[in-house]
Structure formats: C-alpha cells, structure tokens
C-alpha cells in the first residue's frame, strides 16, 4: 500500500463550501506552478479531482496535463469518464498523449485508444514505446464486451522448468514493478506459451527453493477463451470463488487475466448505458461540461426519430375528425390512454431486457413472453380500464362513453405489454441494442393502437355519445 | 482452484435445443435420486443452473434443496437472483434454511437474511451456529450501500506480537478453510482489535521465521469507516490500485474487508435498479417466473400513481372544449407535443441522475442545471418547433396554426428540459430515489404545460384558425 492514513469521504454539506477546488486549481494552473499543483491534487478528497477536472475549461485541462509528469497526468486522466479522457487526449500532441497513455494500466489504455478517432489513435501508438504499443494493438483487436476486451496483461508467468527459487528471485528483483499487479497467482507456461499450470504464490512459502514449479503447480487449471462474453464471465465468477481467471487464445496460449472486478465494472457500464439509452441518451454519454452544440446535436438525433414516429402515430387521429368534432371530450382520453399504455408497455420492456441480461430468457422464447405478459395484460388492462371507465362515468354520466374508455384502455394495455415484452427479443435477434430501440417502437405501437381504439370504438357507438 | 479443465460457455443456438435442462432436472427430482442430481448440476454450463432454477416449480425447487447437501444447496441458491433466493428460503423450515444459509459467504448471508420477513429471519438466525449467527447479526445492522453493507468478514488477522513463523503455521494449519478467502494481505491488530498494520503475504517469503510481524508490516495503512458510502468507495478504488481495503468501526477496530469487486457489484445492482425504476418496475424486482398476481400487483402499484397524474394533466384539456370544438385538428397536436416534450425532459432526467451518481453534480447546484439545460432547451425547442410547425403548415396551409404549434413545442421543450434537469435534484434533496419519482412527475408537468400551451395559444388566435 503506497499511502497511509485514513480515507476522508467527500463532504456534501454545501453550507461549508468556500472556494471550489477547481477555482483554486485554475489559479495554480494560471500561475504555472507545477510544484504546487501535485500536492494540491493529492490533498483533494477522492471524487473532488473528478469534479474539478469536469469543471475546468479545456484549456486549463490541457495546461494541467503539460504541467504534471506523465505518470501523474495518467492518474488524473483515470479519474475522468471515458468520454472526457478521450476528448482531452485528442487535444494533445501525439507525443504528449503517448507519454501519458503508456502510463495507464493495459486494459484502460486499450479502451481509451479505442475511443479515439482512428487517426489520433495511430499517431499516439506510433509514439509509444514498442512493448507497450504491441500490447495496446493486441488488446485493441478484441471486442469490448469479451474476455479479451476486459482482461489485463499485468500478470506473472514462469516456465514449467523453473524452480521455486527462480520465482522468488524474480519476485524480489521486480518487487517495485509487481507492486501494481496485486496478484496472488502466477501462471506456468509450457511449450509455445501454452498454459499448463497455476501457482499459488502462498504455496511458495511452504516449499523448498530447489523444488521445480511444475511439481507444486495446479495442473490444467480452469481458463476462459478470449472471446468469452462478459455475461458468461459473470456466470463463471458466480460459480467460482476466484478473483481472476486466465484467458487463452484459440491455441491455448495465455494472453491475459480477467479479474472479477473488471467483469463487474463492465456489467456496471452496460447497465448504466442501458438506463441512458432507455432515457434517450444514445451513442456518446453526455455530461453538462461538454460543448452545448455537441450536447444539443446528440439529443436531437434521438428526438428527430421520435418526432417522425409521433407524427405517424398521431396521424391516426386525422382519420376520425368527424367523430372528434361530434364528441370533443374524447380528446381528453386520447393522451391518457396512450400514455398509460406506454407505461404498461415500458414495464414489460424492462423485464424482458433484465431477464435476457440475467440469461433467464433467450431471444427466441416468444411464447413464454406471450403467455406470461398476456395473462398479466388482461388482468391489469381490466383493472385500469375499470378505473378510467368509472371516472368517465362520474364525469359525464354516459355509460357508452365509459364503455368505450374501458375497452380502449383494457385492450391497449394488453397490446402494450405484449409489444413491450416482445420488442426487445426481436431487436436482440436482429443484433441491435434493445435498450435503444424498444421505447420509440413501443410508443408508436401504443399511440397508434390507443388512438385507433378510442376513436374507432367511439365511431361505432357515435349516436349514443352525442 | 477446485476444478480443472476449460470453461464451456452457454450455447445459444436454439436449433440444437433438445430437452431443456430443467426438464431433466425435474425428472431427477421426481425420481428422488440425490446421487444423480449433483453430477447433473455440475455438468450444466454456467448460467444453465440459474435458468433451470428459474423454470422449476417452487415444489421442485424445495425438493431439490432437500435432496442436496447444505453446502451444495448454498451453491445453487447463489446462482439465483436475490429475490428468488429469498422467496425460496422463506418456504423452507427454519432448520433447513439455517443449515443452508450458514454455508453462504458472509456478505451474501446478511443480504439474504435482510431480504426476508423479520420473523423468518429471526427463526433462521436462532437455528444457526453461534459464530455465524453473531456475524450475520452484526453485518445485518449496516446499511446496504455502505462499506459495512458490502464488506466481507473472511479475512486473516494476527496480533502485532506474533512472529512470521506463527503466521506461516496458521496458514498451513488452516489452508483448506483459507482456500475460499482468496486474499493476499493479512491484517495486524493492536490492543482492543485496533488496526495497526497490514502484512503483504508475499513478503513472508522473504523474511526469516523468527522475525515479528510488527517489523515487516506496513504501519498505519489506509482504511475506510464502516459507514463510508458505496460512491466514496468507488472513488477510493478509482484512486488506488487495491483489491480490497480494511473497514474499521468508529473505535478504529477492524470489522471487515471491502473488495473492489463487491463495490462494482453494488454499483451494478444500483444501475440496474435505476433502469428498472425509471421503467416503472419499482420495489421488488420482477421475473416472469414469479406468481402472476404478485407481478400484476407490483406493476399496478406504479401504474395507479400514473393514472392519477395522467387524469390531472389531461383535465387541462377540458378547460378548452370550445377551442377544440372549433379547431378539432388541434387534438392531433396535443399528444405529439406532450410526448416530444416528455422525451426531451427524460434525456435531462437521465443526465442529472448520471452526473449525480458520478459525483460531478451536487444536489444543490440548481443554477448550473438551469444554465446548461436552458441554453440547450432553447436550441432544441426551436429546432423541433420548426419541424413540427413546418409539417403543420404543409398539412393545413395556415400560418397561425403553424405558429401555435411552433411556439407550444419550443416553449414546452424548454420547460421540459428545465423540469427534467431539476426534478432529480429536488427528489435527491428530499432523500428519495430520483429514478423512481422523476418520470411520473416530469410527464405530469410536460403534459399539463403542453396542453395549456397548445390550447391557450390557439384560443388567443382562434379567429385565425377556423
């Protein structure tokens, strides 16, 4: 452990807020005092660095990166979100960026370079030291949500003909470098770097130095293929109490180690992205410190799809202008019925996405969804229909109006939960992200059907309504 | 590592699906063949156990728990979601439940007992072995999203007057039990169990057996208080390359260890819960294997709040019946404008929730949100307003109608992003979960204001519209 002392959590009491840390940081940067900046950054409570960086102007951020030593700059970069870090690195010269990027842990390095424009990434790579560059290129070739995409290359490996004494000597000689590895296993490689065993470092304690590692290693250990998905990794760690698992390529060569925390982190990022996508923040993550035009454009790209779908759905209403003219209060029920069905459908969307991500529902199990959502949809549709029908009767005293409202909401709720349950499966089978497309498609269905039901049913009993 | 061999990922190709694993499992349970069940479960690909348990009837699940040895039953329980495991445990006798629960890791044990009805939890606790019971009671006292709530109690601790030889002897004597600990540090305790140092187990390799642990330990190591929030723990691990951090109570006594993976896991659960809550799955998580009445009731509790808010919002329309009668096509624009504003507002909700969870936005920073969302709202409002206004003009050729539509959508978009950005901050300050309340409140605001704007503006220029 490189630091001592107690950990000071962030103080959220605004009444004590004086100058904000980024204001002080801005002053130090403006004064160009490299000697004062590092102690100041170190003095900040965890999280304060992230917030200070978020609030600094891009100019200040760049100046700070130049004032700090590359390894300290890398630590600061590490506190920023992936998008922020990529934006900042793209503003640097390739030389400066390379010096900082090669100080990042291997997994983060590949993620960051992958987030950059191809040109920028190439320029930075060509300025990196050869071993780091080779490693980064190798890691960047993997899909992000696979074992290769989340593994790290900081691990210990020895050859099977080495002795315990060799391992201990290596540990001693490289103690400083291995400090950051934080590992308790070493891997044993056979010919052509094939993984043949795993060595519990603790076992070295109990073994004479002249014994060969091959005789105390655990042979033929569990391993995962480099293309194992993050969901399968999650299941693996659910079933095994390991901190990490070695990753091999198709020739069974050791290529990295996936830690349990990296898997949880990947799933955390995915869950966050699902929430953002379902809320209409699609593509790049948005933070309010980003340029306004970028934010507006990003949000508009999603909204313009929605406005088209909305107009299509609402055009159903134009088919029933005569009915609406005759019974204008129907206009009150149109948004209620379409909104409520949208809510019911969204619940079913969320359950389908969640069940698929847990591995409990497979994308081809349509019938299960139809049965489970259908029965619930009838129950909830009737319940909600009765409530709205009763309100309509209390308001207008017309049993036919209340029947129209009841039927429209009951039937549309059933349609909504069926559509909501099934749409994510369809999108998943088409290899798209269900969180992105489900809500707009669902709303179009529930709006169109809702308008059609209210106005269609009303037209059928028009003489009873006027 | 307790198993060897390669990890077989789940096969998702439905064309090869023959009998599903839970059908086979059902047969084995029905035949009451304990000897055949464990090998069958072990043969399942990871994830298949979870899916099989999801699909088994409650009766089969219970029978399976009885057929398996408690430690194997605990492993199976571990593959289920928290809610499923709690449901199943509540159906067991207290004796059976206690035998299984005490085989779970400490953190999971406390979580599960916390999910049960108080009565059931008490009955199970009183049937547990004393040390496990005491430990469970202690862990259950902590808030879930704090260091105490996510820490584990499986760690190694020695007294500062012990020697390296004592540690090695203990490691050797308890090798089996420590196997599951998977740790690389041991903690050194001073008087009254105060944390005084940390011992890197690797360092024992390089030390003579008669040396005291006090002389090779790292003194005054970093630690966190047991009430540290999960967000602060995340920041801590972002800044330090540790796998775990010791947790102390207010008297600086060691009470547990928080692993990085447990923090990521907690945040993952929270992000998932945010997504589900924002989609209207509130309170208990829903899986389609749960009883239909439970699912319907859970969804209805959320929908009934929405129907009330929807009716209130739509009642605005009743104030303008004369305007609507005169210009019935306004009814087409009402749902478009309220829906589109809802979409814009939801984007702002998501960004606020995300920025708060990253620690980049504090709940009292209203002005920042107003400025950042206000400028974006004007830009996007004008853009969307022009699109819809132009469509209205193309359709009806009435410049006044298109002006009404333009203004209503532009102004309501601004209102929506301001409300969407601010509502999560307000809910957070009231100590509620922003993900649960934000969407219904926002929709009410955007619906009411949207209807009011369209119909109010139309009423002002009514003679130009008819």
């Amino acid at each position: 452990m490189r630091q001592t002392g107690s950990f000071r959590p962030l103080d959220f009491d605004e009444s004590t807020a004086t100058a904000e840390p980024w204001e002080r940081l801005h002053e130090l940067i403006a004064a160009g005092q490299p000697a004062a900046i590092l102690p100041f950054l170190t003095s900040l409570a965890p999280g304060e660095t992230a917030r200070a960086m978020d609030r600094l102007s891009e100019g200040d951020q760049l100046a700070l990166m130049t004032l700090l030593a590359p390894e300290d700059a890398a630590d600061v970069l590490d506190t920023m979100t992936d998008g922020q870090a990529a934006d900042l690195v793209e503003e640097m010269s390739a030389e400066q960026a390379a010096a900082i990027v090669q100080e990042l842990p291997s997994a983060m390095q590949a993620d960051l370079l992958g987030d950059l424009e191809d040109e920028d990434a190439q320029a930075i790579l060509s300025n990196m030291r050869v071993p780091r560059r080779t490693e980064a290129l190798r890691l960047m070739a993997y899909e992000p949500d696979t074992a290769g995409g989340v593994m790290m290359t900081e691990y210990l490996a020895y050859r099977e003909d080495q002795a315990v004494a060799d391992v201990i000597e290596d540990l001693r000689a490289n103690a400083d470098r291995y400090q950051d590895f934080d590992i308790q296993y070493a891997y044993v490689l056979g010919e052509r770097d094939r993984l043949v065993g795993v060595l519990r470092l603790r076992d070295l304690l109990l073994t004479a130095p002249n014994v060969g590692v091959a005789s105390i290693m655990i042979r033929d250990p569990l391993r995962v293929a480099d293309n194992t998905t993050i969901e399968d990794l999650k299941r693996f760690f659910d079933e095994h109490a390991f901190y990490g698992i070695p990753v091999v390529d198709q020739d069974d060569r050791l290529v990295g180690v996936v830690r349990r925390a990296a898997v949880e982190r990947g799933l955390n990022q995915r869950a966050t992205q699902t929430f953002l996508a379902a809320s209409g923040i699609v593509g790049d993550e948005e933070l309010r410190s980003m340029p306004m035009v970028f934010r507006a454009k990003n949000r508009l790209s999603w909204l313009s799809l929605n406005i088209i779908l909305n107009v299509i759905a609402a055009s159903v209403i134009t088919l029933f202008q005569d009915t609406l003219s005759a019974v204008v209060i129907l206009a009150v029920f149109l948004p209620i019925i379409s909104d409520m069905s949208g809510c019911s459908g969204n619940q079913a969307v969320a359950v389908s996405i969640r069940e698929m991500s847990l591995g409990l529902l497979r994308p081809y199990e349509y019938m299960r969804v139809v049965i489970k959502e259908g029965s619930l949809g009838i129950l909830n549709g009737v319940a909600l229909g009765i409530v709205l029908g009763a309100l309509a009767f209390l308001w207008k005293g017309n049993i036919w109006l209340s029947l129209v409202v009841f039927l429209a909401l009951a039937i549309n709720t059933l349609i909504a939960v069926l559509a909501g349950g099934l749409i994510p499966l369809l999108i998943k089978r088409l290899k798209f992200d269900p969180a992105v497309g489900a809500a707009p498609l669902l709303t179009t269905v529930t709006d169109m059907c809702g308008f059609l039901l209210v106005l269609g049913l009303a037209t059928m009993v028009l003489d009873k309504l006027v």
Side-chain angles (χ1 to χ4, degrees), chain A:
Chain A
M1 305 214 173
R2 286 166 300 183
Q3 278 182 268
T4 62
S6 189
F7 169 72
R8 183 165 62 88
L10 220 54
D11 182 0
F12 263 109
D13 181 1
E14 73 263 42
S15 59
T16 64
T18 51
E20 296 276 10
W22 65 86
E23 293 165 355
R24 177 80 185 118
L25 196 53
H26 168 74
E27 286 165 21
L28 291 174
I29 293 166
Q33 302 180 327
I37 287 177
L38 194 58
F40 177 73
L41 282 175
T42 313
S43 79
L44 289 181
E48 276 298 2
T49 314
R51 193 152 157 265
M53 288 305 287
D54 180 61
R55 300 298 169 88
L56 284 184
S57 69
E58 197 175 83
D60 276 350
Q61 289 179 353
L62 273 173
L64 178 64
M65 292 286 117
T66 312
L67 289 169
L68 291 172
E71 59 270 26
D72 297 321
D75 284 345
V76 171
L77 211 57
D78 213 0
T79 67
M80 301 172 78
T81 67
D82 293 351
Q84 285 180 318
D87 287 346
L88 181 52
V89 166
E90 288 197 329
E91 296 302 315
M92 299 179 192
S93 71
E95 294 77 23
Q96 185 188 7
I100 295 172
V101 167
Q102 65 193 4
E103 299 293 334
L104 290 171
S106 61
M108 209 160 300
Q109 204 173 79
D111 283 351
L112 176 61
L113 289 168
D115 283 343
L116 300 180
E117 302 285 329
D118 267 0
E119 248 175 81
D120 293 317
Q122 289 308 326
I124 293 171
L125 279 163
S126 63
N127 277 281
M128 283 166 66
R129 286 192 304 268
V130 173
R132 297 297 273 165
R133 184 203 306 170
T134 317
E135 191 178 273
L137 280 170
R138 188 164 67 78
L139 287 181
M140 285 169 70
Y142 291 106
E143 292 292 320
D145 278 349
T146 63
V150 297
M151 72 188 184
M152 56 177 193
T153 55
E154 291 87 353
Y155 57 83
L156 299 180
Y158 300 96
R159 312 216 60 85
E160 60 182 330
D161 54 8
Q162 287 185 291
V164 167
D166 300 326
V167 176
I168 292 181
E169 194 184 307
D170 177 67
L171 287 177
R172 202 187 304 246
N174 294 292
D176 272 1
R177 192 158 67 85
Y178 293 166
Q179 184 112 339
D180 280 351
F181 281 32
D182 247 346
I183 37 177
Q184 56 200 322
Y185 292 103
Y187 300 97
V188 182
L189 305 181
E191 54 181 81
R192 286 191 234 159
D193 285 350
R194 291 213 174 119
L195 177 67
V196 295
V198 64
L199 208 55
R200 206 182 293 139
L201 291 183
R202 219 158 47 202
D203 287 347
L204 299 177
L205 288 171
L206 317 170
T207 311
N210 60 338
V211 171
V213 294
S215 64
I216 60 163
M217 74 186 183
I218 301 157
R219 284 182 187 277
D220 194 21
L222 273 179
R223 66 202 66 192
V224 295
D226 51 9
N227 60 357
T228 307
T229 65
I230 197 160
E231 289 85 3
D232 282 334
L233 289 170
K234 162 80 173 165
R235 292 184 196 110
F236 176 86
F237 281 114
D238 281 348
E239 301 199 355
H240 301 93
F242 302 157
Y243 269 105
I245 181 80
V247 182
V248 293
D249 66 10
Q250 55 187 5
D251 297 324
D252 212 22
R253 280 185 302 233
L254 183 66
V255 291
V257 173
V258 170
R259 294 170 310 150
R260 176 186 290 267
V263 172
E264 295 284 357
R265 188 185 162 96
L267 289 168
N268 182 7
Q269 284 174 343
R270 177 178 283 197
T272 300
Q273 201 232 320
T274 298
F275 161 63
L276 291 174
S279 306
I281 301 293
V282 176
D284 293 312
E285 175 170 23
E286 179 193 318
L287 297 173
R288 294 205 175 93
S289 50
M290 293 171 176
M292 210 263 280
V293 173
F294 168 84
R295 293 168 56 222
K297 256 177 66 182
N298 232 29
R299 290 200 197 175
L300 267 182
S301 66
W302 166 255
L303 293 172
S304 30
L305 168 68
N306 273 277
I307 202 167
I308 294 168
L309 295 175
N310 251 295
V311 167
I312 292 171
S315 65
V316 168
I317 302 175
T318 63
L319 304 176
F320 296 94
Q321 289 188 48
D322 295 341
T323 304
L324 256 183
S325 299
V327 194
V328 78
I329 52 152
L330 288 173
V332 177
F333 294 99
L334 291 178
I336 297 181
I337 287 171
S338 70
D339 276 12
M340 285 309 299
S341 312
C343 287
S344 296
N346 257 327
Q347 293 180 321
V349 166
V351 174
S352 278
I353 291 179
R354 176 69 177 144
E355 286 198 328
M356 281 197 289
S357 83
L358 284 171
L360 301 180
L361 179 70
R362 299 215 181 145
Y364 56 85
E365 294 186 296
Y366 301 119
M367 273 318 293
R368 178 173 173 84
V369 173
V370 169
I371 293 165
K372 293 285 181 180
E373 290 298 329
S375 49
L376 183 148
I378 292 168
L379 201 70
N380 280 7
V382 169
L384 294 170
I386 287 175
V387 171
L388 196 63
L391 283 174
F393 188 77
L394 288 175
W395 182 34
K396 287 290 161 184
N398 183 326
I399 189 71
W400 291 98
L401 174 69
S402 105
L403 199 66
V404 164
V405 166
F406 163 77
L407 278 177
L409 185 50
I411 298 171
N412 208 36
T413 299
L414 176 61
I415 294 173
V417 294
L418 289 174
L422 293 172
I423 287 172
L425 278 68
L426 291 167
I427 299 180
K428 184 82 178 182
R429 293 210 72 172
L430 298 172
K431 313 268 179 209
F432 292 107
D433 180 359
V436 176
L441 283 179
L442 172 74
T443 314
T444 311
V445 172
T446 53
D447 280 7
M448 284 185 97
C449 295
F451 301 150
L452 208 58
L453 281 163
V454 175
L455 297 172
L457 289 168
T459 306
M460 285 163 64
V461 293
L462 195 55
D463 53 333
K464 313 280 188 190
L465 298 177
V466 285

